[in-house]
């Protein structure tokens, strides 16, 4: 009788051991996903500056449709993100840059940029988005949405006191962080 039970115990052990191991692996995988998610959110994200909280900026915004309607498409040129973005870049350039003579009587001029930190950040974001669209890392629609908001902010804050905004923007050294800053940390109130 003892000899009959022994093979059944071996058979049960051979069946239950893989089932227990499978349950253990599945539960660890689930916990590993939770741990990974927790670790990802617990770390400083690339948009955070260690030791500093990025402030939220709020500026008064105005619709610029009346100005965009006055810009002909042939003057604005073409842009990889469409006609509206091309017109907004033309408007940005006309509002942020001016030509000044170097010496009176000399026909040579120099370009003066108002708020160069903001202007430069917008240019860098555009180049970054262009690279991402070319590499298919981001869709054209997403890039258009991002660039549209960045341009709206830049155009609307030209005549506002932006010293703190520029200081914060200047401290950001990565284009992804700059995009996140414009998209998530700046709000236009219409």
């Amino acid at each position: 009788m003892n000899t009959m039970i022994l093979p059944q115990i071996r058979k049960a052990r051979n069946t239950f051991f893989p089932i227990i191991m499978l349950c253990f692996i599945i539960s660890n995988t689930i916990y590993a996903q939770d741990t990974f998610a927790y670790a990802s959110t617990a770390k400083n994200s690339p948009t955070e500056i260690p030791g500093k909280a990025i402030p939220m900026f709020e500026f008064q915004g105005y619709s610029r449709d009346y100005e965009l309607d006055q810009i002909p498409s042939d003057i604005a040129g073409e842009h990889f993100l469409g006609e509206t973005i091309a017109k907004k870049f033309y408007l940005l350039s006309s509002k942020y840059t001016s030509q000044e003579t170097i010496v009176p009587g000399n026909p040579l001029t120099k370009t003066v940029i108002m708020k160069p930190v903001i202007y430069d950040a917008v240019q860098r974001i555009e180049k970054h988005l262009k690279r991402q669209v070319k590499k298919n890392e981001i869709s054209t629609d997403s890039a258009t949405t991002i660039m549209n908001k960045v341009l709206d902010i830049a155009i609307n804050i030209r005549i506002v006191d932006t010293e703190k905004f520029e200081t914060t923007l200047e401290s950001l050294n990565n284009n992804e962080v700059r995009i996140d800053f414009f998209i998530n940390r700046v709000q236009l109130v219409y």
Side-chain angles (χ1 to χ4, degrees):
M1 188 157 154
N2 230 353
T3 57
M4 286 178 55
I5 296 176
L6 195 58
Q8 289 177 350
I9 292 174
R10 284 185 189 153
K11 185 176 179 183
R13 185 182 68 187
N14 290 342
T15 305
F16 288 120
F17 183 72
I19 292 173
I20 291 172
M21 288 303 293
L22 182 63
C23 290
F24 178 74
I25 291 171
I26 290 173
S27 66
N28 278 344
T29 304
I30 292 170
Y31 289 122
Q33 292 295 328
D34 291 341
T35 305
F36 177 73
Y38 176 74
S40 297
T41 57
K43 286 184 186 176
N44 286 344
S45 69
T47 61
E48 294 176 359
I49 299 172
K52 290 184 180 179
I54 298 178
M56 179 73 160
F57 292 95
E58 190 172 287
F59 298 105
Q60 187 67 39
Y62 301 97
S63 175
R64 301 294 175 171
D65 292 339
Y66 63 93
E67 290 177 289
L68 294 175
D69 291 340
Q70 295 174 0
I71 301 172
S73 297
D74 55 331
I75 290 177
E78 292 184 6
H79 196 275
F80 73 100
L81 295 176
E83 183 180 343
T84 304
I85 299 297
K87 287 183 177 185
K88 286 187 178 186
F89 262 108
Y90 180 81
L91 186 62
L92 178 83
S93 180
S94 67
K95 289 188 177 290
Y96 274 80
T97 61
S98 61
Q99 301 293 325
E100 291 183 0
T101 57
I102 296 174
V103 178
N106 189 346
L108 294 176
T109 61
K110 66 178 180 177
T111 302
V112 177
I113 299 173
M114 176 190 267
K115 300 187 180 188
V117 173
I118 297 171
Y119 189 79
D120 181 56
V122 172
Q123 298 297 326
R124 288 174 185 249
I125 289 171
E126 177 201 18
K127 287 178 186 175
H128 179 72
L129 290 175
K130 189 173 190 175
R131 273 186 253 125
Q132 282 190 317
V133 168
K134 276 187 176 180
K135 292 179 181 178
N136 290 325
E137 294 174 355
I138 189 172
S139 69
T140 306
D141 291 338
S142 297
T144 302
T145 303
I146 292 168
M147 199 71 241
N148 196 29
K149 181 163 183 183
V150 169
L151 285 168
D152 283 343
I153 291 167
I155 291 168
N156 277 293
I157 64 175
R158 183 182 62 92
I159 58 172
V160 178
D161 178 25
T162 57
E163 186 177 339
K164 290 180 182 177
F165 176 80
E166 289 179 65
T167 303
T168 305
L169 185 59
E170 200 169 24
S171 70
L172 305 176
N173 57 2
N174 181 333
N175 287 321
E176 288 293 329
V177 176
R178 287 184 190 107
I179 290 170
D180 182 64
F181 179 70
F182 272 96
I183 299 299
N184 297 320
R185 304 289 182 185
V186 182
Q187 181 178 1
L188 290 176
V189 179
Y190 290 96

